[in-house]
Amino acid sequence: MKVRTRSSAIIGALLLAVTLPLTLTTASASASADGPSAQVVLTEVARAQGPSAGAAGPDGKVWIAERAGTVRILDDYGLGDPVLDISDETTTDGERGLLGVAFDPEFAHFYISYTDLEGTSTIDEFAVADGQLQPDTRRTVLTQEQPYPNHNGGDIKFGPDGYLYIAFGDGGSGGDPHGNGQNLDTLLGKILRIDPTGGEPYAIPSDNPFVAQDGAKDEIWAYGLRNPWRFSFDAGTGDLLIGDVGQSEWEEIDWAPASSKGGENYGWSSMEGNHPFRGGTEPANHVPPVHEYDRSGLGCSVTGGFVYRGEAIADLAGSYVYSDYCDGTLRTLRIEDGAVTEEGDLGVEGGEVISFVEAGDGELYVLAIGGTVSRLDPA
């Protein structure tokens, strides 16, 4: 692990040509009759090497992770030199790499989610002082072995309750060959909920839904997920939204209210969206997706986003913004009481969209694996 300053001449030279903002696309969200009327533009604000995730950091800065293992801070001039480099500890084989980053609510700790050289999913913690990582404080919070190099999940977020939520896929291959999605005795195919500073290496909240249940892992918050690549909490309501990548036919977005006590079963691998998978039987406690779409024309790998709570685009307020890695179009949903009331197409295309980042002011950034870091702006 290497912690660096902005003194790297090599990386600095590479950045010279990529710090100027560019306008990508402008369009009205008129593709859907009942869609929002927001007119937006994607403005390229930086270039990165395989940007994979990001988080709102201290002093209003946005921290961007690059899949190969570096973390860089976005400012008015683009992305600075890496403040963290674990590229000698991870690999980009399959769907592996540095897959998630998060700050706790007080910006006192920074967390990274990555797959190590053996393919093990790893959550590490760093203390933060005066907005700077403290490398000597690094410790491993949680690990999970992965049987295959895909469906590792990897997203991490702090919820409104102050606990750390962790997304793991079903372990990979195809069709969930080990049945991990419905197996409560594994962390794979789940959303976890832990208290990373409440114990060593972490504590489990006493109100987690499967605490002390025989044959179930105490860390589990929700299950029945195939590859919950990106999830988020609505900054306005606290509701949880999960973009769960489908197997072969259906992409789904799952929703849980802020009042949820956890324990939701989203169905995989008995179900793919609302549909039985390979002759499976719908579980009695199946929580169907709030939205699904098939792969006939809209894409092939949902990229979950955020409910927009910024101030720059008034007409977008309250809309969930998401995309698809294979399609790249930014789309929206309005959700009321667990039901979609409006669908929209913002008419802008962000490339191979791999992630969204919510800044501290609620504005949204779009990351494309090809290297663009773009901000969603009013047209």
Side-chain angles (χ1 to χ4, degrees):
M1 186 270 294
K2 301 181 284 291
V3 177
R4 301 178 177 175
T5 66
R6 297 175 64 95
S7 61
S8 170
I10 295 176
I11 297 177
L14 292 174
L15 286 171
L16 289 177
V18 298
T19 56
L20 295 177
L22 298 174
T23 295
L24 295 182
T25 330
T26 308
S28 170
S30 59
S32 174
D34 59 351
S37 59
Q39 294 189 0
V40 301
V41 58
L42 275 177
T43 304
E44 183 178 315
V45 295
R47 283 256 174 189
Q49 296 295 317
S52 56
D59 303 319
K61 303 293 186 182
V62 172
W63 292 41
I64 301 293
E66 296 172 309
R67 187 178 166 212
T70 50
V71 178
R72 301 159 70 187
I73 300 175
L74 181 66
D75 60 24
D76 293 340
Y77 302 99
L79 288 169
D81 292 346
V83 295
L84 178 67
D85 185 348
I86 61 163
S87 55
D88 58 351
E89 301 178 46
T90 189
T91 173
T92 56
D93 291 347
E95 297 172 6
R96 295 169 173 167
L98 177 54
L99 304 178
V101 292
F103 284 92
D104 65 17
E106 292 78 31
F107 301 111
H109 297 91
F110 180 66
Y111 295 84
I112 60 175
S113 171
Y114 67 99
T115 44
D116 69 13
L117 295 175
E118 286 72 46
T120 298
S121 290
T122 305
I123 311 296
D124 281 359
E125 174 196 272
F126 296 83
V128 179
D130 298 323
Q132 303 293 318
L133 294 186
Q134 306 300 301
D136 293 341
T137 67
R138 182 181 180 181
R139 70 181 185 96
T140 295
V141 177
L142 182 147
T143 62
Q144 170 62 50
E145 293 184 359
Q146 296 282 354
Y148 304 99
N150 60 335
H151 305 181
N152 293 168
D155 203 8
I156 52 176
K157 296 282 192 305
F158 275 86
D161 53 14
Y163 293 129
L164 179 62
Y165 290 72
I166 302 166
F168 285 146
D170 65 10
S173 187
D176 195 10
H178 303 292
N180 291 326
Q182 291 296 304
N183 181 7
L184 292 175
D185 195 27
T186 176
L187 302 183
L188 295 172
K190 313 296 189 296
I191 298 285
L192 314 181
R193 179 185 186 239
I194 65 171
D195 179 357
T197 59
E200 183 58 45
Y202 58 88
I204 296 171
S206 60
D207 58 348
N208 271 11
F210 300 106
V211 167
Q213 177 174 316
D214 290 343
K217 298 291 188 183
D218 294 347
E219 294 91 340
I220 296 172
W221 179 255
Y223 67 109
L225 293 157
R226 180 179 177 273
N227 191 25
W229 173 246
R230 292 293 174 251
F231 71 95
S232 65
F233 292 93
D234 183 343
T237 65
D239 298 343
L240 171 65
L241 292 120
I242 307 165
D244 194 19
V245 179
Q247 171 69 37
S248 55
E249 296 185 29
W250 297 95
E251 301 298 310
E252 71 179 83
I253 294 169
D254 300 305
W255 174 91
S259 60
S260 169
K261 302 301 182 183
E264 287 86 358
N265 178 5
Y266 293 112
W268 178 255
S269 57
S270 298
M271 305 290 289
E272 184 182 9
N274 287 303
H275 314 272
F277 179 72
R278 294 181 180 173
T281 301
E282 183 174 15
N285 63 342
H286 177 224
V287 178
V290 71
H291 181 68
E292 66 174 14
Y293 61 92
D294 64 36
R295 294 183 168 187
S296 61
L298 292 183
C300 72
S301 181
V302 64
T303 300
F306 290 85
V307 175
Y308 179 77
R309 297 296 179 185
E311 297 182 355
I313 313 170
D315 290 334
L316 198 59
S319 290
Y320 177 69
V321 182
Y322 70 102
S323 189
D324 187 287
Y325 177 80
C326 303
D327 172 76
T329 300
L330 269 59
R331 296 185 169 87
T332 61
L333 302 174
R334 285 193 178 272
I335 301 170
E336 297 179 9
D337 298 323
V340 172
T341 59
E342 290 182 1
E343 299 180 35
D345 181 340
L346 288 178
V348 293
E349 199 274 337
E352 293 175 318
V353 177
I354 196 169
S355 194
F356 290 81
V357 185
E358 183 179 45
D361 60 3
E363 303 305 326
L364 297 183
Y365 291 79
V366 181
L367 308 184
I369 197 61
T372 57
V373 178
S374 305
R375 188 180 58 240
L376 191 62
D377 288 334

